[in-house]
């Protein structure tokens, strides 16, 4: 049923929730113990439970631990977990999961929502975005934000990495409507990014001209 007034999520009453993120038809909750819970529409595996089933009540994502940040797109999800590594799951038809072409071929699970610019596939369990994890330049992920069909990450050097499809990606990278399927570093004009948030068709970032460690 729809809720017209705020109600306590009783199934998480015993947990201390530190982060919450909402997608088109799903919600994710991170706790102070590093656990991640999700509920809502489960199509294309966006809940991270290894299936396409929807869940009315929050269910723990058993494949993850040490979660510190979480974000949701329209049909995909992302989180920062142990080792400051970024994990993504759900629909990958617009390249929003950030996997390399070889990784996509290994998945071979077709999307229930049809094909997009980058094929018709999905990942129903959290998978590490290895191109960021192995990048010496990136050095780990501090923040993550999702648009409807794109993902953005702020790394330890306070630079911005983006991938996927849509107006946000086109504006940041100057690419066509097909977008990109692997993380690309966006040019920020020598500024350091300290805070990031994304909406449906826009994004906001807080920038500084000095390395954040030098800013009081």
């Amino acid at each position: 049923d729809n809720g017209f007034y705020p109600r306590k999520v009783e199934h998480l009453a015993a947990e201390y929730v530190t982060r919450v993120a909402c997608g088109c038809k799903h919600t994710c909750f991170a706790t102070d113990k590093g656990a991640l819970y999700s509920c809502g529409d489960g199509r294309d595996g966006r809940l991270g439970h290894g299936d396409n089933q929807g869940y009315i009540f929050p269910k723990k994502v058993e494949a993850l631990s040490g979660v510190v940040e979480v974000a949701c797109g329209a049909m995909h999800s992302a989180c920062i977990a142990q080792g400051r590594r970024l994990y993504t799951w759900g629909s990958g038809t617009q390249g929003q999961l950030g996997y390399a072409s070889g990784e996509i071929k290994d998945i071979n699970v077709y999307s229930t929502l049809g094909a997009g610019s980058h094929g018709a596939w999905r990942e129903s369990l959290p998978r590490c975005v290895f191109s960021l994890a192995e990048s010496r330049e990136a050095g780990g992920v501090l923040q993550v934000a999702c648009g409807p069909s794109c993902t953005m990450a702020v790394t330890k050097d306070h630079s911005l990495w983006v991938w996927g499809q849509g107006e946000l990606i086109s504006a940041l990278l100057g690419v066509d409507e097909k977008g990109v399927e692997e993380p690309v570093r966006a040019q920020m004009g020598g500024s350091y990014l300290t805070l990031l948030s994304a909406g449906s068709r826009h994004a906001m970032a807080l920038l500084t001209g000095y390395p954040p460690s030098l800013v009081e």
Side-chain angles (χ1 to χ4, degrees):
D1 295 335
N2 293 328
F4 296 99
Y5 302 99
R7 293 178 60 185
K8 184 177 180 180
V9 181
E10 295 292 348
H11 284 73
L12 291 175
E15 302 289 342
Y16 187 88
V17 176
T18 57
R19 297 286 189 277
V20 61
C22 297
C24 183
K25 296 181 179 180
H26 72 294
T27 307
C28 292
F29 310 85
T31 74
D32 64 333
K33 297 177 182 178
L36 185 72
Y37 293 80
S38 63
C39 60
D41 187 345
R43 285 181 298 171
D44 270 25
R46 71 189 77 176
L47 299 184
H49 301 303
D51 55 32
N52 292 313
Q53 183 176 341
Y55 293 88
I56 298 176
F57 304 115
K59 179 180 179 180
K60 187 177 181 180
V61 180
E62 299 292 347
L64 289 169
S65 62
V67 176
V68 294
E69 293 279 352
V70 63
C72 293
M75 295 175 288
H76 75 292
S77 306
C79 77
I80 303 170
Q82 56 267 39
R84 283 287 170 180
R85 291 191 169 196
L86 182 67
Y87 292 79
T88 59
W89 61 97
S91 173
T93 59
Q94 280 79 41
Q96 62 266 54
L97 299 187
Y99 308 153
S101 298
E103 294 178 86
I104 294 173
K105 292 178 181 177
D106 290 341
I107 296 174
N108 287 326
V109 181
Y110 290 100
S111 168
T112 60
L113 303 171
S117 299
H118 296 272
W121 61 278
R122 68 177 187 267
E123 174 58 84
S124 58
L125 287 171
R127 180 185 285 243
C128 181
V129 181
F130 284 109
S131 57
L132 276 182
E134 297 173 354
S135 171
R136 293 182 180 179
E137 186 179 19
V141 180
L142 296 179
Q143 297 179 45
V144 61
C146 295
S149 56
C150 66
T151 307
M152 297 175 278
V154 180
T155 52
K156 280 190 176 180
D157 62 351
H158 293 273
S159 60
L160 176 64
W161 296 72
V162 300
W163 59 96
Q165 181 181 326
E167 295 179 20
L168 292 176
I169 300 301
S170 297
L172 284 167
L173 301 181
V175 297
D176 61 24
E177 60 186 22
K178 291 184 179 179
V180 293
E181 67 182 20
E182 293 185 59
V184 176
R185 187 172 182 171
Q187 298 301 316
M188 304 303 292
S191 297
Y192 297 89
L193 199 154
T194 60
L195 190 62
L196 175 69
S197 181
S200 176
R201 301 176 68 178
H202 73 293
M204 296 289 286
L206 181 62
L207 304 175
T208 176
Y210 301 91
S213 60
L214 301 180
V215 178
E216 297 182 353

